Amino acid sequence: MSKKRILLLSVSAGAGHRRAAEAIRVSALQNNEDLDVCHLDVMNFVTAGFRKIYTDFYIKLVNKAPTLWGYLYQATNEAQPDSTMERLRRSVERLNSRSLLGAIADFAPDAIICTHFLPAEILSRLLLKERLHCPVWVQVTDFDLHRMWIHERMSGYFAANDEIAQRMRLSGIAEHQIHVTGIPVMPAFTNHPLREECATDIGLDPTKPTVLLMGGGAGLGGLDKVAGRLLALKVDFQLIVLAGNNAPALKALQTMAPNFCGRLAALGFTDKVERLMACSDLVITKPGGLTTSECLAMGLPMIVNSPIPGQEERNADYLLEQGAALKAYDDLSLAYRLEFLLSHPEKLKAMRLAASALGKPYAARDVIELVLESA
């Protein structure tokens, strides 16, 4: 009997959509030998100009003009789907993504899962015109629901939590199409490696309080200055700093590390974040949907900082409301909150319990099981 073919479509505007798709792909292959699973980045099948606008412009905008991005996020959420501008936008997307349709036809999937709204929007039109005949599912990757995620003829939606499911219902999605699975994370985040082993691997003491400072894949945010300010606090703890692909920041951190008597571990890009989380008591991070879901899967409380207006602000609000995070507005408030939590272990414990209660480490497995049951 031929293998079922599952196609995952993501967009490399930020890393989260790709990571969600990869989490589903890896989980699917781990648990089902009779599957053929393919993950495509839609940006590899569009024109160079469209790719530059859609990815490079987005990243520059959220980093250099976040207030403008917040305005655009709200404006597009409130825009009428049948307005002239919206019809023009969809036409441009279709014209610039024709080769994607050829790649989909070549793979001939039995089901498609979109971890970004762009492919869902493109495929919705094909379904309406009966030019595509396999079910298409949508995985929302934030603790928020923007209007651009909602499209006709989708077979089902995967929501991060009950509130997002309610927003889906109020947007006209049928109850039977909505599944509260959480946001998919890699199976590695379900294993919880041993703290002692993970801490020893990077030269830290597993018995000491440990904080993980994440700068994102690009290592943004003056990490060496932030690390220096935090390590000067009057509390004893160890600090792991992830500089991502920011080589100058990593070099600066490694240069200053000897001044802190083994309390600072500076690392570049790694695909073993779960091991760093396993030896941490608290994470300082931007509130992206995937990163925060990984923290929750590991039962780790957070201090969230510098949220992008729009989806990340909604993510931060959710975590704060549920008691799994505090929010830092600048470096001074970050230092204050960190010192407060390390000086009040009972508060940190309560946040850890809240994070564990919110975590959905098996979201990726649940998504693929629901898709296969339907297919």
Side-chain angles (χ1 to χ4, degrees):
M1 189 171 70
S2 61
K3 293 183 176 182
K4 285 194 179 298
R5 302 167 75 83
I6 306 297
L7 178 61
L8 293 150
L9 296 177
S10 69
V11 171
S12 51
H17 305 289
R18 295 199 314 273
R19 282 159 57 196
E22 273 301 290
I24 298 171
R25 185 187 70 83
V26 171
S27 181
L29 294 176
Q30 277 190 357
N31 297 298
N32 303 273
E33 295 181 357
D34 57 345
L35 286 183
D36 187 0
V37 187
C38 177
H39 171 203
L40 299 179
D41 179 353
V42 173
M43 290 297 102
N44 291 331
F45 298 91
V46 298
T47 62
F50 184 81
R51 184 187 310 116
K52 189 171 186 62
I53 293 172
Y54 213 92
T55 57
D56 296 355
F57 178 70
Y58 165 77
I59 292 170
K60 287 180 180 178
L61 194 61
V62 297
N63 287 319
K64 303 295 185 182
T67 302
L68 176 57
W69 167 252
Y71 168 78
L72 291 174
Y73 184 89
Q74 190 63 30
T76 53
N77 189 46
E78 296 173 354
Q80 294 300 315
D82 60 349
S83 69
T84 301
M85 286 301 297
E86 284 296 284
R87 291 201 301 270
L88 177 61
R89 179 183 60 78
R90 290 193 295 269
S91 296
V92 171
E93 290 173 353
R94 289 195 298 271
L95 288 171
N96 283 276
S97 57
R98 288 174 175 173
S99 62
L100 172 66
L101 308 184
I104 293 172
D106 290 343
F107 186 68
D110 294 295
I112 298 173
I113 305 172
C114 302
T115 63
H116 191 279
F117 49 80
L118 174 61
E121 187 168 59
I122 293 170
L123 298 183
S124 172
R125 187 169 185 272
L126 294 183
L127 289 166
L128 286 168
K129 291 181 172 293
E130 298 187 351
R131 291 170 55 193
L132 181 68
H133 302 285
C134 72
V136 178
W137 299 73
V138 177
Q139 170 68 63
V140 178
T141 56
D142 284 296
F143 298 102
D144 184 32
L145 183 68
H146 192 282
R147 182 194 60 78
M148 291 179 71
W149 285 98
I150 308 300
H151 302 289
E152 295 183 75
R153 299 295 179 94
M154 299 294 102
S155 292
Y157 287 79
F158 302 111
N161 56 30
D162 291 330
E163 180 181 352
I164 302 309
Q166 174 70 353
R167 287 180 174 272
M168 289 177 176
R169 285 188 286 270
L170 295 174
S171 298
I173 301 172
E175 180 74 37
H176 72 274
Q177 292 180 291
I178 301 170
H179 308 276
V180 181
T181 56
I183 298 172
V185 298
M186 281 287 192
F189 289 91
T190 69
N191 297 331
H192 290 255
L194 292 176
R195 178 185 179 108
E196 293 78 7
E197 178 183 311
C198 295
T200 302
D201 283 350
I202 57 174
L204 295 181
D205 183 346
T207 66
K208 283 189 174 183
T210 303
V211 177
L212 173 60
L213 171 60
M214 301 181 70
L220 302 170
L223 293 175
D224 53 327
K225 294 179 181 177
V226 175
R229 182 186 293 274
L230 297 181
L231 288 168
L233 296 174
K234 296 177 181 179
V235 283
D236 186 23
F237 71 100
Q238 301 170 128
L239 184 65
I240 306 169
V241 185
L242 272 182
N245 295 314
N246 189 331
L250 179 60
K251 183 177 180 180
L253 287 161
Q254 290 174 336
T255 299
M256 64 188 283
N259 300 327
F260 292 98
C261 303
R263 294 175 57 211
L264 173 61
L267 303 169
F269 177 82
T270 177
D271 59 358
K272 301 294 182 184
V273 174
E274 74 280 356
R275 295 185 64 82
L276 303 180
M277 289 186 177
C279 56
S280 300
D281 300 286
L282 177 69
V283 177
I284 301 169
T285 181
K286 285 175 61 62
L290 265 291
T291 299
T292 54
S293 294
E294 290 165 354
C295 291
L296 296 177
M298 298 288 286
L300 274 174
M302 289 159 267
I303 300 177
V304 295
N305 64 333
S306 305
I308 297 169
Q311 70 271 33
E312 287 195 357
E313 282 187 338
R314 308 290 172 81
N315 293 342
D317 289 344
Y318 172 70
L319 296 170
L320 268 62
E321 289 167 1
Q322 300 298 320
L326 298 181
K327 181 179 178 180
Y329 300 95
D330 53 24
D331 289 356
L332 291 174
S333 65
L334 173 59
Y336 176 84
R337 283 156 176 73
L338 177 59
E339 187 167 28
F340 173 82
L341 287 177
L342 293 177
S343 303
H344 294 81
E346 71 285 354
K347 173 64 174 176
L348 194 57
K349 180 180 179 181
M351 291 174 62
R352 186 180 303 115
L353 292 173
S356 296
L358 295 177
K360 296 185 183 295
Y362 299 102
R365 181 200 64 187
D366 294 343
V367 165
I368 201 68
E369 286 181 356
L370 285 163
V371 170
L372 291 176
E373 284 175 13
S374 175

